[in-house]
Amino acid sequence: MPRFLEFCKKQSVIGNVSEPGKKECMKINEKLVRALAFKNMKIAAAESCTGGAPASAIVDISGASSVLEYSAVTYSDRMKSVLLGVEEKLIAEKTAVSSEVAAKMAQGIRRISGADIGISTTGYAGPGGSDIGLVY
């Protein structure tokens, strides 16, 4: 399993949060949806190696429709360029799995969706190679 997905599974609960009369564990995705809804903000996701997992984690939460504006799985370099506007030259120079490409993907999804926040994932999911689990 890629390191990023392992991390997400281990960190899906971030601790106890005090609420009137009880303590409950709040998952990261629940906190995200609540915070975005409270601030009346929209988020959009451009994903590659995660294949829709972050967007899926958001839509698992009640109220997600008020915060998730758009999601795209741009697995191929071509779609990163065509849809998100990541320059082919940047991908060739830095590779698709780089912080520079991840930043451009997030900027691109924010631009095309009009969301307040753009997030992205790009990485090596495997099955071969030495950098399996490397994710930006």
Side-chain angles (χ1 to χ4, degrees):
M1 177 182 301
R3 286 181 289 195
F4 174 74
L5 297 178
E6 264 179 27
F7 173 80
C8 287
K9 282 191 171 197
K10 288 179 185 174
Q11 300 299 317
S12 65
V13 176
I14 61 171
N16 291 328
V17 177
S18 292
E19 291 189 4
K22 69 176 186 172
K23 286 187 174 185
E24 68 176 35
C25 288
M26 190 179 288
K27 293 182 179 181
I28 292 171
N29 53 345
E30 291 172 326
K31 284 193 82 161
L32 176 66
V33 170
R34 286 183 187 180
L36 290 171
F38 179 77
K39 293 182 178 253
N40 198 30
M41 295 178 77
K42 301 277 188 180
I43 191 169
E47 302 182 53
S48 185
C49 66
T50 52
S56 179
I58 292 170
V59 300
D60 282 346
I61 304 304
S62 177
S65 62
S66 70
V67 300
L68 183 62
E69 184 69 16
Y70 188 75
S71 177
V73 176
T74 54
Y75 206 76
S76 72
D77 292 351
R78 187 174 83 78
M79 285 290 92
K80 287 174 180 70
S81 294
V82 170
L83 183 64
L84 302 175
V86 179
E87 294 176 359
E88 292 176 2
K89 181 180 177 184
L90 180 64
I91 294 171
E93 289 176 0
K94 300 292 185 178
T95 80
V97 181
S98 64
S99 59
E100 295 87 352
V101 168
K104 291 293 184 182
M105 289 171 64
Q107 291 166 3
I109 199 74
R110 184 171 178 249
R111 177 184 44 77
I112 64 174
S113 68
D116 301 294
I117 299 169
I119 62 171
S120 70
T121 60
T122 184
Y124 295 118
S130 61
D131 287 332
I132 295 173
L134 175 66
V135 176
Y136 294 96

